[in-house]
Amino acid sequence: MSSAPTTPSIDEAAVPGAQAHSHGPGSPVPVQTRSERFASAAHSDFPEVTGRELEWRLTPVAAVRDLIDDELDGSPFPAIVSEADGVTCEWIDRTDARIGTAGLAEERAAANAWSRFEKALSVTLTTEEPVVVTIDRTGADSTPRAAHTIITAKPNARGLVIIDNRGSARLSENVEVVAEAGSDLTVVSLQEWDDESVHLSSQFGRVDRDAHLKHVVVSLGGSVVRVNPSVHLSGAGADGQLLGLYFADAGQHLEQRVYVHHIAPHTISRVTYKGALNGQGARTVWVGDVLIGRLATGTDSYEQNRNLVLSDGTRADSIPNLEIETGDIAGAGHASATGRFDDEHLFYLRSRGIDEQEARRLVVQGFLIDVVQKIGNAELEARLVAAIERELEAVEVV
Amino acid sequence: MSTLEIRDLHVSIETDQGSKEILRGVNLTINSGETHAIMGPNGSGKSTLAYTIAGHPRYTVVSGSITLDGEDVLAMSIDGRARAGLFLAMQYPVEIPGVTVSNFLRTAKTSLDGEAPALRSWIKELRGSMEAMRMDSSFAERNVNEGFSGGEKKRHEIVQLELLKPKIAVLDETDSGLDVDALKVVSEGVNRVKENTGLGVLLITHYTRILRYITPDFVHVFVDGAVAEEGGPELAERLENEGYDRYLTGSSVG
Ligand SMILES: Nc1ncnc2c1ncn2[C@@H]1O[C@H](COP(=O)(O)OP(=O)(O)OP(=O)(O)O)[C@@H](O)[C@H]1O
Ligand SMILES: [Mg+2]
């Protein structure tokens, strides 16, 4: 595999800024352009992390230092993949051509994982008959580990893949998601780790012509959890829906840096991330970059992040970012809001006899539920509703 | 038989310019089965009275008392007041994202009764009430008031009134924004509840048209934060013809 700096290996001709690091002085492209970010599979290509970098300044770097710098155990991360017709699952070599087709590490911890993993877990959906696959990862131990996963939907294949993370782990990983032409793929990365767990996950999506990718990040458990999805809408008519749901308790750091790159014309993206924060030191970060490339005419995008603050002593960062390189778009917008309970909501419910605790529970559930309901799988939705209930039990009336 | 008694009630709100007194000595007594209409100009404090009875945190009671059957309402929490038997149909019902009408109503009923209602009879009751209020059953699975039209929101308030069975209800401009048919449906709903439960009603309105369907026993003219005059249904007719000028000229000098 090449370790040279390169952009994700999408149809080069269609990638604005494909000449990433070679544009000379006088280029009209601003250096901040998201697609020009340095990318490499090699750990050594990235400078030491100080914690002041844009990429890291909101992350508790000291708590993830080993994942950024140290040798990682690259043996296969324990996973049980459910069997189903139309699904193939295999551990593939580092040299396999499928690796690196959806993206490449853009920061040092991801590159560390990319440099160390021994085999990648590849799950491939092949049939039009919708399938549900669970990658059950009940964790390992506190050894710092590296992992690499590739999820592929072949042309016109349909299905849902759940990466179900529980137990304890110190994990840096890369996940590649490829939705080939006409496919309809949902990938849910569910973090219900134990309290001590640390998890850094870069997730790269590539959505080909007329394919739909629904990518969902649900982060509830873990000490530091940073899941960064970047989705490249590389084929005309591609559609990316990026959903996120997080609930940070006292002392928990939950971060998500979302990137949607509209490369091809007539692509659609919808980003909806919602979070709740409760307890001293509950901390969340959401960064949402949307780049509408030069060739991405007639695209439609909207991104939003909303945070509900349930107690004092929390901090939520919410940073939307929209770059547009073409004048011809159908729509582009973003919204970001972080707030407390709406007193009028609570008053209305309580005026009907519902006590304060219950009223808050209803309002928080109601706030988060629309993301849950967009997942489109009843069993998983019910499980998430129950998980949110459990999170809410810890919320005190103030 | 229940009695809501309001005595010399003074209420203020916090504004950027400091605290502002809105209610200046309100006296009212409402018994079960009685209907009291309150009419008065915009800004005279009618909604303030309604919200204060319900316990909205924006309003500060400076002095005076509110009791329900002798119990101190002002000492009760918002939900405690509802459990004691008070209900407020709001002038502007609130939209609550992600909470369905059926979930909301079932939760409220459970809180009021201290136990969950028997599922089958509850669903029947809910359907019946919505049907009577000409609300399609699909509303049950929509989020509370979200995207409801003005009139639909008001009808939803009366569905709640019927299902939650309070002792005393304050209806704050429930008739505003209703078309003629809806006005009739809503009025019939209120009358039905009165008949079935002996509800006492405090009906805030600007129009006599609703009073043709819901006959008030008493009409109170509310001006500048207090009751300026009381009378029977004929007072409402006079207000409609003459307006509030004769009350305002006296009090607006200061
Ligand atoms: N935040 C505020 N700052 C200043 N004045 C306020 C504030 N909130 C309410 N008021 C004033 O309190 C007064 C009473 O308002 P209220 O809503 O009770 O009137 P109302 O009689 O219900 O009027 P309407 O017939 O228009 O519904 C009004 O003059 C209003 O402007
Ligand atoms: Mg009013």
Side-chain angles (χ1 to χ4, degrees), chain B residues 34-174:
Chain B
E34 293 177 356
T35 299
H36 294 246
I38 289 191
M39 304 183 79
N42 293 135
S44 56
K46 304 180 298 298
S47 293
T48 301
L49 175 63
Y51 276 125
T52 303
I53 295 170
H56 195 292
R58 188 167 54 232
Y59 303 94
T60 311
V61 175
V62 180
S63 62
S65 67
I66 304 177
T67 58
L68 180 65
D69 300 327
E71 298 284 329
D72 183 2
V73 169
L74 296 177
M76 298 177 194
S77 64
I78 302 165
D79 40 295
R81 295 175 197 214
R83 287 193 297 271
L86 296 174
F87 181 90
L88 168 61
M90 295 186 202
Q91 186 173 356
Y92 304 108
V94 179
E95 303 190 4
I96 305 184
V99 179
T100 62
V101 167
S102 83
N103 184 18
F104 161 61
L105 291 174
R106 194 170 2 88
T107 307
K109 188 69 177 167
T110 304
S111 304
L112 291 172
D113 293 0
E115 58 175 1
L119 198 59
R120 211 169 268 216
S121 58
W122 167 250
I123 288 173
K124 209 170 142 225
E125 212 181 325
L126 175 62
R127 287 226 181 102
S129 180
M130 288 181 56
E131 205 168 305
M133 221 47 70
R134 309 266 165 83
M135 290 184 78
D136 190 85
S137 60
S138 63
F139 276 92
E141 293 317 314
R142 286 175 61 176
N143 293 334
V144 173
N145 295 325
E146 208 175 61
F148 288 23
S149 74
E152 287 163 353
K153 285 180 183 169
K154 298 303 181 69
R155 279 186 268 174
H156 179 220
E157 296 290 284
I158 303 307
V159 168
Q160 296 171 50
L161 174 71
E162 182 155 33
L163 294 171
L164 303 181
K165 301 184 174 44
K167 294 173 179 156
I168 307 281
V170 180
L171 311 181
D172 190 359
E173 295 198 28
T174 301

Side-chain angles (χ1 to χ4, degrees), chain A residues 253-327:
Chain A
H253 177 99
L254 304 177
E255 179 167 349
Q256 28 267 311
R257 292 171 174 264
V258 183
Y259 172 39
V260 179
H261 188 184
H262 287 262
I263 296 168
H266 303 290
T267 47
I268 299 171
S269 70
R270 289 288 178 274
V271 178
T272 307
Y273 270 66
K274 283 190 170 187
L277 299 89
N278 178 59
Q280 194 61 40
R283 178 85 172 87
T284 65
V285 176
W286 178 84
V287 178
D289 293 340
V290 173
L291 170 60
I292 299 171
R294 199 163 29 85
L295 303 176
T297 53
T299 62
D300 185 5
S301 75
Y302 191 80
E303 59 164 351
Q304 61 168 323
N305 172 232
R306 298 193 189 279
N307 297 297
L308 186 57
V309 174
L310 307 181
S311 78
D312 292 332
T314 68
R315 177 173 161 187
D317 283 284
S318 180
I319 308 167
N321 224 324
L322 183 59
E323 280 180 82
I324 304 175
E325 295 178 335
T326 171

